[in-house]
């Protein structure tokens, strides 16, 4: 109890300012924008247990229902809503719980209270943990670590007991691991840590392949590890099932550049990253929330660049550490052997050594390995202090904890907002495209004056400069889109307007709009390529079914259309709006602007068809009614009105021959659009509505036949 109280005071001091942090980074998507958290209903519980962790934003191939469930409890049941203070409080409680478990584990391993307290204190205050503790969505790391620590302690208790009580501890271990893998997949490392303990403490590790050692392993397996096998099998079954139901995930190469190199070079780079991890644990001075392209350039085994030599140095360092660990183990230092193994086993799922993941490096990956580092550091500190003075350990430990605690406190200030976080990251990783892009977005979102658009553009250009040389399928759509949008706003600010509100294109304004256009067209090309790859992957997942609805970067198209229009390129504006309509036939922007763009591009006959479609879909209804009259009865007040009103009901005068033809065309186009989107219900509703408009059914049925859809 006293240890837990001391750790609570320590954590309370170094994380006191973490409560200032809001919903930064992914917290906005995972907590604020997740509709499943709005109410504790059976429907939301079902969605949490069946949908991706990133629902509804996208599919990341992650299944963490317990993490999401913890946010549901806080958001709805406890009524915390969108107040981040309480979420921070729960994260700190979990971190305290984990630090306490570290104490119990170390006390069991070395049976020395002062070393166990030192390890727990170092774990509690180390600044590398801020990405898991201060960052709210680091909740998954905290829960997974609690699972692994708790499961290990349960296993150690099972070793000390016999009979049915041993199986009680083993069942508790299995439950702990199940909770862990449902919080974060990396908790599966428990199944590697348990044999490691037995190898270090219960088997002859010097003769690991001997008959007696193998017999001992199988005995431990059938009397211990076996209870974890169903959980591991279930985890892989769940992930496989999710991939079948949700479709494949699209991992971005730029998030992990190792994906773009050969096998050996990728592993050489991964070894270099492990070297960086060790450096951050020893000297956590320069911390960043992002290390993506091109913060850590790829290395290779050819030894032709400085990055290659960095990897070689890291490899040599790891080899030297392995020799030291083995030497210590030969001298009976079982705890060093076990903790060193813990570090690498805990890091293995995210180390990009066995398989490549969607991230090349992240400080949150070190939260569970930090347990081993803290233990090893405390053991080393104790060994050094024994050569100095009896009280040297306490003095040195106090000094290290003070330094680490101050760094953690300062690091928490970086997490106050997206702006402070990305500003800090830009100083550490200026070559990361995401850092520069996110910093520009954070500067734009601060909504404070003075609003220096040119300064934001300068930062956004750094992001596109990093990714511009990449192939289209590997480019970053958002970076180019955001820069294009900024150029568009700059052009609008610099432009003057005529009496009708239209932009007057001076040479300066045209140049800026063309800069905007270049970036937006690049963004559109990247987006279309990505969507095409997704569609192809979905077709493969559906075993060759070619009927995949059209998709595309709608937000890019919307901005691109406006720039085309301002530059007087109305034909291109029409094509862009048509793309939006194909993706979303109910997009109101299409029916508001497409008729005017068609008229300006010399296709006034098609404008009427689009307005009729707006009328039929009840999108921009009144606007369409006004424009239809101007198109089909221009300036003729004596003729029968084109749009007939009966109270709130509007209808057409189908005696107008031109209108009659365009109504048929409007129905045919809409039915085809909805059939291509697999919206068969709306298509059938339009077929039924066509009867009241006296449409010829033959052309409409022909649309079904051409697309191979049965009515």
């Amino acid at each position: 109890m006293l240890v837990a109280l001391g750790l609570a005071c320590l954590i309370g001091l170094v994380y006191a300012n973490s409560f200032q942090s809001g919903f930064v980074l992914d917290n906005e998507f995972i907590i604020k924008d997740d509709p499943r958290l709005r109410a504790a209903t059976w429907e939301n519980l079902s969605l949490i247990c069946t949908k991706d962790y990133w629902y509804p934003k996208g599919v990341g191939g992650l299944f963490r229902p317990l993490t999401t469930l913890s946010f549901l409890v806080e958001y709805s049941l406890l009524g915390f809503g969108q107040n981040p203070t309480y979420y921070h409080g729960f994260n700190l409680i979990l971190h305290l719980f984990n630090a306490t478990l570290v104490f119990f584990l170390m006390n069991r391993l070395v049976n020395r209270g002062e070393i166990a307290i030192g390890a727990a204190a170092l774990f509690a205050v180390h600044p590398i943990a801020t990405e898991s503790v201060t960052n709210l969505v680091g909740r998954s790391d905290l829960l997974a670590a609690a699972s692994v620590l708790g499961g290990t302690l349960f296993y150690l208790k099972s070793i000390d007991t016999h009979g049915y009580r041993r199986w009680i501890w083993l069942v508790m271990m299995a439950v702990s691991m199940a909770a862990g893998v449902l919080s974060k997949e990396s908790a599966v490392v428990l199944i590697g840590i348990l044999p490691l303990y037995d190898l270090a403490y219960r088997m002859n590790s010097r003769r690991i392949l001997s008959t007696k050692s193998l017999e001992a392993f199988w005995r431990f397996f059938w009397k211990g590890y076996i209870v974890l096998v169903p959980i591991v099998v279930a985890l892989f079954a769940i992930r496989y099932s999710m991939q079948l139901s949700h479709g494949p995930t699209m991992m971005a190469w730029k998030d992990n550049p190792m994906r773009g190199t050969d096998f050996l070079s990728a592993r050489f780079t991964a070894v270099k990253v492990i070297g960086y991890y060790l450096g951050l644990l020893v000297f956590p001075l320069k911390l960043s929330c992002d290390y993506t392209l091109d913060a850590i350039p790829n290395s290779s085994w050819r030894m032709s660049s400085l990055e290659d030599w960095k990897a070689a140095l890291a490899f040599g360092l790891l080899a030297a550490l392995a020799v030291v660990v083995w030497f210590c183990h030969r001298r009976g230092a079982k705890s060093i052997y076990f903790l060193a193994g813990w570090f690498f086993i805990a890091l293995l799922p995210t180390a990009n050594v066995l398989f490549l993941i969607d991230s090349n490096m992240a400080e949150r990956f070190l939260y569970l390995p930090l347990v081993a580092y803290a233990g090893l550091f405390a053991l080393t500190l104790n060994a050094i202090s024994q050569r100095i003075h009896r009280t040297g350990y306490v003095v040195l430990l106090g000094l290290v904890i003070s330094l680490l605690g101050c760094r953690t406190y300062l690091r928490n200030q970086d997490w106050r907002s997206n702006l402070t976080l990305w500003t800090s990251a830009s100083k550490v990783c200026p070559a990361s495209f995401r850092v520069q892009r996110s910093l520009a977005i954070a500067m734009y979102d601060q909504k404070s004056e003075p609003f220096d658009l040119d300064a934001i553009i300068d930062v956004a250009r750094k992001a596109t400069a990093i990714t511009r040389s990449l192939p289209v399928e590997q480019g970053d759509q958002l970076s180019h889109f955001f820069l294009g949008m900024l150029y568009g706003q700059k052009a609008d600010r610099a432009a003057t307007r005529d009496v009708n509100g239209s932009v007057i294109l001076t040479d300066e304004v045209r140049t800026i709009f063309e800069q905007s256009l270049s970036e937006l067209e690049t963004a559109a090309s990247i987006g279309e390529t990505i969507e095409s790859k997704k569609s192809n992957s979905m077709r493969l997942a559906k075993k060759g079914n070619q009927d995949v609805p059209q998709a595309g970067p709608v937000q890019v198209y919307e901005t691109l259309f406006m720039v085309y229009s301002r530059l007087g390129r109305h034909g291109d504006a029409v094509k862009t709006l048509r793309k939006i309509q194909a993706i979303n036939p109910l997009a109101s922007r299409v029916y508001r602007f497409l008729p005017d763009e068609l008229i300006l591009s010399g296709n006034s006959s098609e404008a009427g068809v689009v307005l009729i479609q707006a009328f039929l879909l009840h999108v921009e209804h009144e606007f369409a009614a006004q424009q239809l009259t101007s198109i089909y009865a221009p300036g003729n007040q004596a003729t029968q009105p084109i749009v007939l009103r009966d109270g709130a009901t509007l209808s057409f005068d189908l005696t107008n021959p031109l209108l009659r033809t365009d109504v048929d065309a409007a129905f045919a186009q809409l039915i085809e659009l909805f059939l291509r989107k697999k919206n068969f219900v709306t298509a059938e509703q339009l077929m039924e509505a066509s009867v009241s408009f006296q449409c010829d059914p033959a052309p409409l049925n022909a649309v079904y036949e051409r697309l191979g859809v049965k009515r």
Side-chain angles (χ1 to χ4, degrees), residues 22 124 185-186 336 493-494 503 515 582 584 682:
E185 301 77 6
S186 59
I336 293 178
R493 286 188 178 188
V503 171
Q515 289 176 309
N584 180 13
T682 303

Side-chain angles (χ1 to χ4, degrees), residues 341-577:
W342 175 298
F343 181 89
F344 287 103
I345 289 175
L347 190 60
L348 195 58
T350 57
N352 289 294
V353 174
L354 295 181
F355 50 84
L356 299 181
I357 62 172
D358 61 344
S359 181
N360 60 340
M361 178 177 175
E363 291 166 12
R364 63 184 179 275
F365 295 159
L366 287 175
Y367 187 75
L368 187 57
L370 179 61
V371 173
Y373 174 79
L376 290 169
F377 193 96
L379 286 169
T380 304
L381 206 61
N382 181 70
I384 294 173
S385 62
Q386 286 181 347
R387 298 176 179 272
I388 301 175
H389 193 271
R390 182 180 301 176
T391 60
Y393 174 74
V394 176
V395 174
L396 290 176
L397 182 65
L399 177 62
V400 172
I401 289 176
S402 298
L403 292 173
L404 292 176
C406 289
R407 181 67 186 100
T408 297
Y409 189 88
L410 293 174
R411 178 58 176 161
N412 287 331
Q413 294 179 354
D414 294 336
W415 287 87
R416 283 176 297 169
S417 67
N418 281 322
L419 181 59
T420 57
L421 185 62
W422 292 114
T423 300
S424 170
S426 68
K427 299 174 182 177
V428 178
C429 295
S432 166
F433 85 96
R434 181 173 284 116
V435 167
Q436 300 298 343
R437 183 192 71 190
S438 300
L439 176 57
I441 293 174
M443 293 169 65
Y444 182 83
D445 287 342
Q446 66 179 330
K447 307 298 182 185
S448 61
E449 295 295 339
F451 189 74
D452 192 343
L453 192 58
D454 286 331
I456 301 173
I457 288 175
D458 287 341
V459 176
R461 287 174 61 185
K462 293 178 182 178
T464 58
I466 295 170
T467 62
R468 196 176 297 280
S469 61
L470 298 175
V472 175
E473 64 273 11
Q474 296 174 356
D476 184 55
Q477 173 188 316
L478 181 54
S479 294
H480 293 282
F481 166 67
F482 185 64
L483 181 56
M485 184 194 71
L486 293 175
Y487 275 131
Q489 290 189 7
K490 181 178 180 179
D492 276 336
R493 286 188 178 188
T496 56
R497 298 177 182 272
D498 58 23
V499 293
N500 296 320
S502 299
V503 171
I504 299 175
L505 286 176
T506 63
D507 290 341
E508 177 190 3
V509 172
R510 180 181 292 277
T511 298
I512 302 174
F513 269 130
E514 287 175 348
Q515 289 176 309
S516 173
L517 188 61
S518 175
E519 299 298 334
L520 292 171
E521 287 179 334
T522 301
S525 178
I526 294 171
E528 289 167 354
T529 303
I530 292 173
E531 292 297 339
S532 177
K533 290 180 65 176
K534 286 182 179 179
S535 297
N536 291 335
S537 298
M538 291 176 66
R539 290 188 184 99
L540 292 174
K542 294 180 179 181
K543 298 180 181 180
N545 185 358
Q546 300 297 309
D547 296 330
V548 178
Q550 182 172 346
V554 173
Q555 191 176 13
V556 177
Y557 291 152
E558 290 176 345
T559 308
L560 186 58
F561 131 72
M562 289 189 289
V563 176
Y564 278 138
S565 182
R566 281 167 168 71
L567 287 172
R569 296 173 56 174
H570 301 292
D572 290 323
V574 168
K575 292 178 183 178
T576 306
L577 288 170

Side-chain angles (χ1 to χ4, degrees), residues 16 99 105 121 134 173 243 331 496 525 542 647 665 692 696 701:
L105 177 63
T134 308
M173 175 187 71
Q243 184 173 4
R331 300 190 62 179
T496 56
S525 178
K542 294 180 179 181
S692 62
D696 182 359
N701 288 325

Side-chain angles (χ1 to χ4, degrees), residues 10-301:
L10 199 57
I11 291 173
L13 284 173
V14 300
Y15 283 98
N17 58 341
S18 67
F19 293 93
Q20 300 173 2
S21 176
F23 292 104
V24 298
L25 288 184
D26 299 334
N27 298 296
E28 184 172 353
F29 306 115
I30 299 298
I31 301 177
K32 289 183 67 176
D33 295 342
D34 191 340
R36 298 175 295 181
L37 308 184
R38 299 296 182 268
T41 63
W42 288 113
E43 179 183 2
N44 285 337
L45 286 174
S46 176
L47 289 172
I48 288 173
C49 294
T50 57
K51 296 296 183 181
D52 192 270
Y53 180 61
W54 284 94
Y55 176 89
K57 183 178 183 287
V59 176
L62 303 178
F63 185 64
R64 302 173 181 177
L66 284 188
T67 299
T68 307
L69 186 62
S70 72
F71 293 134
L72 171 67
V73 170
E74 292 172 289
Y75 195 105
S76 297
L77 291 182
L78 298 180
F80 296 165
Q82 296 188 5
N83 187 338
T85 301
Y86 300 101
Y87 299 89
H88 284 296
F90 191 70
N91 273 20
L92 291 183
I93 291 173
L94 281 174
H95 186 50
L96 170 61
F97 180 70
N98 288 336
T100 306
L101 293 181
V102 171
F103 166 77
F104 286 119
L105 177 63
M106 285 298 300
N107 199 36
R108 170 62 185 256
L109 295 178
V110 300
N111 197 27
R112 300 220 11 216
E114 69 276 15
I115 295 178
I117 292 174
L122 290 167
F123 176 84
V125 304
H126 201 289
I128 206 70
T130 53
E131 189 169 343
S132 298
V133 180
T134 308
N135 182 22
L136 297 179
V137 296
R139 176 77 53 83
S140 60
D141 298 302
L142 303 176
L143 292 172
S147 162
V148 175
L149 286 165
T152 303
L153 288 170
F154 288 142
Y155 181 70
L156 299 184
K157 290 292 292 184
S158 74
I159 294 173
D160 297 336
T161 55
H162 303 280
Y164 74 92
R165 290 189 178 88
R166 181 171 64 85
W167 286 101
I168 292 176
W169 290 113
L170 290 176
V171 169
M172 293 175 66
M173 175 187 71
V175 171
S176 177
M177 180 174 172
V181 297
L182 292 176
S183 300
K184 188 173 183 179
E185 301 77 6
S186 59
V188 75
V189 299
L190 179 62
I191 203 167
I193 288 175
L194 303 186
L196 173 67
Y197 176 84
D198 289 332
L199 180 62
Y201 287 89
R202 304 174 68 193
M203 296 167 57
N204 187 348
S205 58
R206 299 180 185 180
R207 298 181 179 180
I208 189 172
L209 296 180
S210 66
T211 302
K212 289 185 178 180
S213 295
L214 293 176
E215 289 177 353
F217 173 80
W218 283 113
R219 185 170 63 254
F220 297 148
F221 176 82
W222 288 109
K223 293 184 177 182
Y225 322 146
I226 186 67
V227 299
L228 302 181
V229 173
I231 299 171
V232 176
V233 173
L235 173 64
F236 284 100
I238 289 172
R239 291 182 66 85
Y240 179 74
S241 176
M242 285 185 63
Q243 184 173 4
L244 289 181
S245 60
H246 295 170
T249 59
M250 301 299 294
M251 300 301 183
W253 173 85
K254 56 189 174 295
D255 292 338
N256 186 356
M258 297 181 208
R259 291 177 177 271
T261 188
D262 61 87
F263 180 88
L264 288 179
S265 295
R267 272 62 194 178
F268 221 51
T269 306
V271 170
K272 180 178 69 175
V273 170
I274 295 175
Y276 286 162
Y277 282 145
L278 293 175
L280 288 178
L281 287 170
V282 177
F283 300 106
L285 299 177
K286 295 183 177 181
L287 301 177
S288 173
C289 60
D290 184 271
Y291 293 92
T292 50
L293 185 80
D294 199 14
I296 303 177
N298 283 334
S299 299
S300 76
W301 50 271

